[in-house]
Amino acid sequence: MNDKTQNMLSQKLSNRRLIVDLLALMFGLGAWVGVNGIYVQLPLLVNSAPEGWSLPAHMVMLVQFANLGPILYTLYIKYSKWACDKYITYIVLAAGALSTFILAFVYNKTTTIFGNEHSTALLSLMFVTAIVGCTSSVLFMPYMRNYREIYLVSYLVGEGLSGFVPSVVALIQGVGGNPECLNNTKPNSDEVEFLPFYPEPRFSSQAFFIFIGTLLFLCYLAFLGLNNLSVAVGERVKHPGSMETLPTDTRAPPSYKTNSGWTMSKQVYSYLLIMMAVVCFLSNGTLPSIQSYSCLPYGNVAYHLTVTLSSMAGPLAMCLGFVIKLPKVNFLSSLLVILIGLSGFVCYLAIQSPTPPLQNSWLGEFLVVLSWILISGLIGFIKLGITTLFRPDPGRGLYYTGVATQIGSLAGAIITYVLVNHVKLFHSYSPCSLIPMH
């Protein structure tokens, strides 16, 4: 059995070029590493940013405004006589790397707008990096159709690692522990005041953002190699001369049944797109916006572990794409039901903030961290499963998958932003508010 497995593994490896796998992986890493890098810094940023606990909701909403990128891209390729994905991708990746390097030096700068202080430098530069991520759904992934099918999984694993790598670094960075309440009572004052003091992490957010900017620059170099190294050019499924042709033909009709042997009923085709929209409604819109409210009442350490470990779970689940067979639609549906159940649980905890169940207990911290890890793993696996089912579609399957991703994400972000900032459904608390005043 071991010899058979080893032979199968050797056969798979001999049928691919590992250097192309690495380049595709690094290309995928560049899709969301900028946004994810900023996101995993939230446990440090929410304590000093003027937006406080609502900062994640602002960031999620801003990411959805970055859908302007794919909209402009779609209009451009529709009305322009010349359109080459390769050069557009160069510009997008370069902009992401440059904005992240700048962010390292200005992330804590604020300005007053309409009488309220806002993290304008952080949010505006994040908008640039978010354009990279949003555009990748309709630009990067369809571009991989120019290469053999086996490299799509490498790209998707790289896209998953865009959350994993920053999380590992953030885990090493730490948050310094839960805050201490220090007496800040002024001399000759009868009012006793306690303020939270947050211990320093192992290294600063500035050093972290410089690391992320360096990663994005390496992703740019990887895409350069993907297009120019002879070993990568040899793995294309089209003649190099046809690379100027747009991979995603916007004039092609949806393909449910084709001469290439790929077939899928119209009902399943539509159902998978709806499933992708629902998953992204939760993963890119609703859940990130309320994560601080569901985790911070259990402590800064619980929030830090949730953000970092859950960001690792998604790419680890995607790695299963290397070892499992093509997932069945019914199996993906079952996983979606579990995902919705767990999402309902963490939303309930967020609504109960600032005093959720099992607060100040190890069991409460364990359950909230475990729930978020499972949610992230399920999201990653379901996304991979749907994308894998659409990959053989010679029509516009991958393009529609990207569109469904953006529609679901935008709907989730708008609804949750209104609930957080206008309906005031969720409430934050001060870790020192329960200390008795004498």
Side-chain angles (χ1 to χ4, degrees):
M1 185 67 179
N2 291 335
D3 292 339
K4 183 178 180 181
T5 303
Q6 187 175 0
N7 291 335
M8 290 176 61
L9 181 61
S10 300
Q11 186 176 1
K12 286 184 177 181
L13 292 177
S14 64
N15 194 34
R16 63 198 307 149
R17 298 291 182 267
L18 293 181
I19 183 63
V20 182
D21 276 308
L22 178 62
L23 292 174
L25 186 146
M26 287 299 297
F27 178 39
L29 182 70
W32 287 99
V33 71
V35 174
N36 289 329
I38 298 172
Y39 181 72
V40 296
Q41 285 294 286
L42 277 175
L44 295 173
L45 298 176
V46 294
N47 297 323
S48 57
E51 293 83 1
W53 286 23
S54 66
L55 179 63
H58 284 80
M59 290 170 61
V60 169
M61 193 65 197
L62 198 66
V63 170
Q64 300 315 311
F65 280 129
N67 281 310
L68 180 65
I71 290 173
L72 291 177
Y73 165 75
T74 303
L75 292 174
Y76 177 73
I77 62 176
K78 184 176 182 179
Y79 295 107
S80 175
K81 294 182 180 179
W82 180 89
C84 183
D85 289 0
K86 179 168 63 176
Y87 297 114
I88 298 174
T89 304
Y90 282 136
I91 295 173
V92 169
L93 284 174
L98 182 61
S99 63
T100 308
F101 275 122
I102 297 174
L103 178 65
F105 301 95
V106 300
Y107 71 92
N108 56 355
K109 304 295 182 182
T110 61
T111 56
T112 301
I113 302 176
F114 300 119
N116 295 318
E117 194 176 7
H118 290 284
S119 307
T120 47
L122 172 66
L123 295 175
S124 58
L125 288 170
M126 181 184 180
F127 176 74
V128 178
T129 61
I131 288 179
V132 179
C134 291
T135 309
S136 70
S137 298
V138 294
L139 178 63
F140 291 14
M141 188 163 61
Y143 189 83
M144 288 305 297
R145 286 183 57 189
N146 290 301
Y147 299 87
R148 292 172 56 207
E149 181 179 348
I150 55 177
Y151 298 113
L152 177 65
V153 175
S154 300
Y155 168 86
L156 290 172
V157 171
E159 190 174 293
L161 286 175
S162 65
F164 183 87
V165 174
S167 297
V168 172
V169 179
L171 197 60
I172 297 172
Q173 180 187 24
V175 289
N178 289 320
E180 299 178 20
C181 295
L182 301 181
N183 192 331
N184 195 48
T185 305
K186 297 179 181 178
N188 302 322
S189 175
D190 294 333
E191 285 191 21
V192 179
E193 183 184 23
F194 287 91
L195 294 179
F197 170 75
Y198 296 91
E200 293 294 325
R202 291 184 179 89
F203 53 87
S204 67
S205 293
Q206 182 184 67
F208 181 86
F209 289 135
I210 290 175
F211 169 76
I212 297 299
T214 304
L215 270 184
L216 273 166
F217 178 68
L218 293 176
C219 296
Y220 175 88
L221 294 180
F223 185 68
L224 191 69
L226 201 60
N227 285 285
N228 293 282
L229 292 179
S230 57
V231 64
V233 173
E235 295 299 295
R236 293 174 179 170
V237 294
K238 297 180 181 180
H239 188 271
S242 67
M243 286 296 289
E244 300 302 315
T245 303
L246 187 67
T248 304
D249 187 357
T250 58
R251 295 164 296 182
S255 301
Y256 307 120
K257 187 176 182 179
T258 69
N259 295 329
S260 63
W262 184 86
T263 180
M264 180 183 289
S265 70
K266 185 176 181 178
Q267 291 76 15
V268 173
Y269 193 98
S270 301
Y271 174 71
L272 287 175
L273 291 178
I274 293 173
M275 185 186 296
M276 177 64 86
V278 171
V279 171
C280 293
F281 177 92
L282 295 171
S283 64
N284 299 339
T286 302
L287 296 179
S289 300
I290 58 97
Q291 190 174 52
S292 57
Y293 295 95
S294 72
C295 299
L296 269 174
Y298 294 96
N300 217 35
V301 173
Y303 185 29
H304 175 65
L305 290 175
T306 295
V307 171
T308 53
L309 296 180
S310 63
S311 295
M312 296 179 189
L316 287 176
M318 284 187 171
C319 287
L320 294 176
F322 278 118
V323 295
I324 65 170
K325 296 180 180 179
L326 193 68
K328 301 294 184 182
V329 176
N330 291 338
F331 179 61
L332 293 177
S333 299
S334 301
L335 295 181
L336 180 62
V337 172
I338 299 173
L339 172 62
I340 292 174
L342 288 172
S343 300
F345 172 68
V346 296
C347 286
Y348 168 76
L349 296 180
I351 293 173
Q352 295 300 309
S353 175
T355 54
L358 301 175
Q359 191 178 23
N360 301 318
S361 71
W362 70 267
L363 182 58
E365 294 183 31
F366 174 77
L367 287 177
V368 72
V369 173
L370 178 63
S371 297
W372 279 100
I373 291 174
L374 292 175
I375 286 172
S376 182
L378 288 169
I379 288 170
F381 188 84
I382 294 173
K383 283 184 177 179
L384 176 64
I386 295 173
T387 305
T388 304
L389 290 172
F390 274 117
R391 173 58 184 84
D393 178 14
R396 300 172 62 189
L398 289 179
Y399 178 80
Y400 279 126
T401 301
V403 171
T405 296
Q406 301 307 329
I407 291 175
S409 302
L410 180 61
I414 292 175
I415 292 173
T416 313
Y417 183 84
V418 172
L419 293 176
V420 170
N421 293 284
H422 298 286
V423 179
K424 304 293 184 182
L425 183 62
F426 307 97
H427 305 281
S428 59
Y429 88 114
S430 170
C432 303
S433 61
L434 299 179
I435 295 180
M437 305 297 178
H438 299 288

